Amino acid sequence: MTAGDFQLEGPMKARRIVVAMSGGVDSSVVAGLAAATGAETIGVTLQLYDHGEAVGRAGSCCAGRDIRDARAVCDMLGIAHYVFDHASSFKSEVIDDFADEYLAGRTPIPCVKCNMGPKFTDLFALARDLGADCLATGHYVRRVVGAHGPELHRAQDPARDQSYFLFATTAAQLDFLRFPLGGMPKPQVRELAAQLGLGVAGKPDSQDICFVPDGDYASLVKKLRPEAETSGDIVDEAGKVLGQHRGLIHFTVGQRRGLEIGGAAEPYYVLRLDPVTKQVIVGPKRALAVRAARIEGINWLGDGFTGPMTAKVRSLAKPVPARLEDGRVIFETPEYGVAPGQAAALYAGDRVLGGGWIAETERAELLPA
């Protein structure tokens, strides 16, 4: 491990690195690599939730068992470890927002909200209070210093890339952040964990939505917002009632399964969710085609950039050619499964230009060619 891996100037023994530790293998390896540079290394864990059934459950993060794992790693490495209780801000900024978004008929992305709030904002303050030279995380993205300063780039391993969830990272945050794993494939990270003697080397990866026990998000939303279970009509675009549903929280735009509507000439897909009428509006797949999306809360990291770009509207989607005009992402060819509440991340090759939150979409068939 060299000073260049953490992009810090001067002798590493004079540097202090704070590592955001979730108790998983990725952040544990970052802590081990940071300590190996000779820099003073401090592990910091935010306790974000404690939902009874989730604590001690494999595949979660920032809860009881994982905090113990992070502390054990720090003890083994001989570095300090601090735990800060941020459950209150996590509930208000991430969990409550998650429930409210579903209640409003939108498709939330809690991982981005968590990065924007507790993980980066709160951890930044803690790291600076501790006199750190940088905050290092286990995210699979790359920080590349360009002509206009630090840039955010996709991970070298496309299967592990997490850049979509970090589109809202600000330039000021990027100046302080470090991502040592961005150039490594996951198997190499696990090998490093084993070489460092870390007990978490074989620990399973955490799930996407860490605070949802067993992936049953509908039950969590219903628990937080009982009114979310209100039933309503499933209708076609002409308003014809085709069936009934048990609550909008059981559906997302683009969904086909679970509608339980028979007798149609072609399959129905969820086109829209109306929180006012409690209706699920369905139609054929072609009606899902979107030519543009209006985005809000735009974060721009593309200083000095001019040229073609691509857009990604889901974490696992392939970036597609698009352009940004007057707060609208306009797709070169129709895109499917675009839903309000999702994010649109913008790229120039591997570089993340930024992105924003999708407020509304414009159907392809309603726009001129």
Side-chain angles (χ1 to χ4, degrees):
M1 201 67 186
T2 66
D5 292 306
F6 284 87
Q7 299 175 321
L8 294 174
E9 297 179 356
M12 291 301 288
K13 289 186 179 298
R15 299 300 173 200
R16 179 176 294 166
I17 300 173
V18 167
V19 180
M21 300 187 68
S22 66
V25 62
D26 297 325
S27 58
S28 296
V29 167
V30 171
L33 294 176
T37 67
E40 180 185 359
T41 303
I42 300 172
V44 173
T45 301
L46 298 182
Q47 181 170 334
L48 299 180
Y49 66 91
D50 188 357
H51 288 326
E53 67 271 32
V55 175
R57 179 176 58 85
S60 64
C61 74
C62 307
R65 171 181 169 183
D66 300 286
I67 291 173
R68 292 192 294 272
D69 286 344
R71 177 170 290 126
V73 167
C74 290
D75 287 344
M76 195 280 295
L77 294 173
I79 64 175
H81 179 244
Y82 299 105
V83 178
F84 294 89
D85 185 354
H86 281 241
S88 178
S89 63
F90 184 75
K91 183 180 186 301
S92 62
E93 296 174 30
V94 180
I95 299 179
D96 285 346
D97 177 80
F98 178 81
D100 291 338
E101 284 289 277
Y102 267 112
L103 202 62
R106 293 189 288 267
T107 304
I109 312 176
C111 295
V112 178
K113 293 293 178 71
C114 182
N115 288 328
M116 291 173 63
K119 279 193 177 174
F120 282 178
T121 304
D122 296 349
L123 274 172
F124 261 64
L126 289 171
R128 292 198 182 279
D129 286 345
L130 290 169
D133 293 291
C134 71
L135 172 65
T137 81
H139 288 102
Y140 285 85
V141 289
R142 290 179 295 137
R143 178 184 183 273
V144 177
V145 180
H148 296 271
E151 300 172 354
L152 187 63
H153 287 240
R154 287 192 285 188
Q156 196 169 56
D157 182 354
R160 302 298 306 178
D161 176 57
Q162 294 175 301
S163 61
Y164 177 78
F165 299 108
L166 298 178
F167 80 87
T169 304
T170 66
Q173 290 172 337
L174 192 56
D175 191 54
F176 192 56
L177 281 165
R178 300 295 187 273
F179 309 107
L181 306 187
M184 303 181 194
K186 186 59 178 263
Q188 181 183 353
V189 173
R190 290 200 180 276
E191 288 175 10
L192 285 171
Q195 291 171 15
L196 290 166
L198 304 182
V200 296
K203 188 174 181 177
D205 292 334
S206 61
Q207 63 182 35
D208 285 343
I209 304 178
C210 63
F211 57 87
V212 181
D214 303 320
D216 188 0
Y217 68 85
S219 292
L220 174 64
V221 175
K222 182 172 65 173
K223 180 179 179 181
L224 295 171
R225 303 289 186 271
E227 65 272 27
E229 194 74 346
T230 303
S231 61
D233 294 330
I234 300 176
V235 303
D236 63 17
E237 292 192 276
K240 179 182 177 182
V241 177
L242 304 175
Q244 301 292 310
H245 67 78
R246 296 182 294 114
L248 297 183
I249 58 172
H250 299 286
F251 302 93
T252 58
V253 172
Q255 181 176 331
R256 176 182 172 184
R257 296 179 181 274
L259 291 172
E260 299 178 356
I261 300 173
E266 55 186 315
Y268 281 118
Y269 294 80
V270 175
L271 305 181
R272 297 187 306 282
L273 301 171
D274 192 325
V276 176
T277 64
K278 309 300 182 187
Q279 290 181 329
V280 174
I281 299 92
V282 300
K285 184 176 181 179
R286 61 179 177 275
L288 283 170
V290 167
R291 281 288 302 276
R294 181 173 64 82
I295 60 175
E296 298 176 333
I298 297 176
N299 179 57
W300 186 248
L301 294 171
D303 285 353
F305 172 79
T306 57
M309 68 178 65
T310 58
K312 188 174 180 177
V313 295
R314 293 177 305 281
S315 62
L316 299 179
K318 181 180 179 181
V320 297
R323 65 185 188 274
L324 180 64
E325 292 183 3
D326 300 323
R328 293 164 63 240
V329 175
I330 303 173
F331 303 104
E332 189 172 292
T333 57
E335 184 74 355
Y336 291 80
V338 186
Q342 290 176 323
L346 305 173
Y347 298 84
D350 282 340
R351 181 184 177 187
V352 181
L353 298 174
W357 297 97
I358 297 173
E360 59 182 344
T361 60
E362 301 172 18
R363 282 172 52 167
E365 62 193 61
L366 300 180
L367 292 174

